[in-house]
Amino acid sequence: MSPRVPRVLAVAGTDPTGGAGQHADLKSIAAMGGYGMSAVTAVVVQNTLGVRCVHVPPVEFLAAQLDAVAEDVEIDAVKIGMLGSVPVIETVTRWLEDRRPPVVVLDPVMVATSGGRLLEREAEDALRAMLGHADLVTPNLPELAVLAQEEIASSWAEALAQGHRVARAHGTLVLVKGGHLTGDRTPDALVGPDAPKPLVAFDGARVPTENSHGTGCSLSSALATLQARHGDWAHSLRIAREWLRGALERSGDLAVGHGSGPVHHFHHVQDALESWGAAPARFSDELWAASAGVRREIEELDFVRGLGDGRLEPERFLAYLDQDLQYLDGYSRALTLLAARAPDERQRLFFAAGAVSCTETESELHRARLRHAGPGAAGAGPGEVTRRYTSFLLAATAAEPYPVGLAAVLPCFWVYADVGRHLGELAAAAGTGEHPYADWLATYADEGFQEATRTARELLDEAARGASPAVRERMREVFLEACALERDFFAAPVAAVRLAGIDGIE
Ligand SMILES: Nc1ncnc2c1ncn2[C@@H]1O[C@H](COP(=O)(O)OP(=O)(O)O)[C@@H](O)[C@H]1O
Ligand SMILES: Cc1ncc(COP(=O)(O)OP(=O)(O)O)c(N)n1
């Protein structure tokens, strides 16, 4: 019977930055619910930028490690990664002949994506000769071509056919991986020796990230673990792919290295930790605490008190609406600039959608109210505070680093949502009678707006994690300046009672 916690041995090289090799294997095995062990084949000096050099310890040392594990622990699965040279391949082959665990996955590591060779060229024949010992071989496309002794496949159909030829020649299953294909899809398929048609195939959109260091190591060790658990390759591949997709999508949380960074093996555990209350300190919390004084000043403003308890003069409310409409024009331009500079599709869509909503929905709400108030309700142009605030936003989003632009636009989401909460409290305290601004106050509580505020905050935290100390400091300055501008903006309508011809408001 399959063990609940499979004992999985990784026979592989090292990566001191923890993204590839046996470090990635151990994380992947644990992430899939296994117990990881490792025997070192080669000590590799590498980081996310590339491989610097390789030291292969005497093979007697490797054989002793393998025996030490096997003599003590029942091994449910082995994942074999970097082997490097003929003597190492021969040592591992001999060990497999003596003590083969029930599941053997061989990732025929040859060249790191960053360019460094991890298998001597003269060891390629020996590696091919070893394939028959594996249940599953997981080459990337260049490795598959070496195993097949053919050109690199240039299409998915060619890759599948090549995978089948390798599977047939060595009597093993081959996982044909599409990570190295050009284009925005990353298919994977299991091909067996008996027929060219894949036993199972999966497709998916490529995750837009540079952080793919160690994906091959991670996938193969996850598969070894899942297979020891379920005994079904198709099922194992489905789960491993889904997990790896999350690990690629959340790789940006890690901020490790300056090159192709590692994937986030424990992205699912991070969520569990947070649900247990172990949320990490958020940079946005720090900014929020620093803005407490300005937010108190906003709550004290006559305009805010009057809007909350309903006593605000209509002409002041309309003066505010008129300036807010002109502010929205600048704000939507600032969001458009951020969308253009966003590092990934999710952020680009978020800011682009925000810009559209400002220009279409929110501006129209303002215009409808101003139209209803009569022809005198529209002001002459942007007031001094409106001009100052919008110029500040455009400068920050166009010319400063992207995380700083994010810090500039966040208060318009967050402070506004917080003022809305406070206004709701003031309205409730003022009593249950008819409130002249009730429908306007309801817009602050809109769930779509609250959700957008949460997302903007998460994006700021994400950007802060990858930012240098100098950029984080600038984010703080800009965030506080935007909060002060929010305050000045709420204070400005007091000076605007000059608007004429107003009978009522809607
Ligand atoms: N950007 C990406 N988005 C989604 N999946 C990816 C991406 N990059 C790699 N993968 C997946 O990671 C696994 C290993 O990738 P691949 O690049 O083919 O191998 P290797 O890391 O051995 O070079 C495959 O399942 C592949 O589909
Ligand atoms: C020690 C070690 N083993 C294997 C690799 C290659 O890892 P892989 O998962 O194929 O992905 P890249 O790192 O090449 O993107 C390695 N770098 N080091």
Side-chain angles (χ1 to χ4, degrees), residues 144-168:
L144 180 63
V146 172
L147 298 182
Q149 296 179 279
E150 296 171 4
E151 290 297 304
I152 299 177
S154 59
S155 70
W156 184 235
E158 262 181 45
L160 291 176
Q162 204 169 63
H164 172 59
R165 286 193 285 279
V166 172
R168 196 179 48 201

Side-chain angles (χ1 to χ4, degrees), residues 208-226:
T209 176
E210 292 300 305
N211 301 325
S212 59
H213 180 53
T215 44
C217 303
S218 303
L219 180 66
S220 52
S221 40
L223 282 170
T225 313
L226 291 164

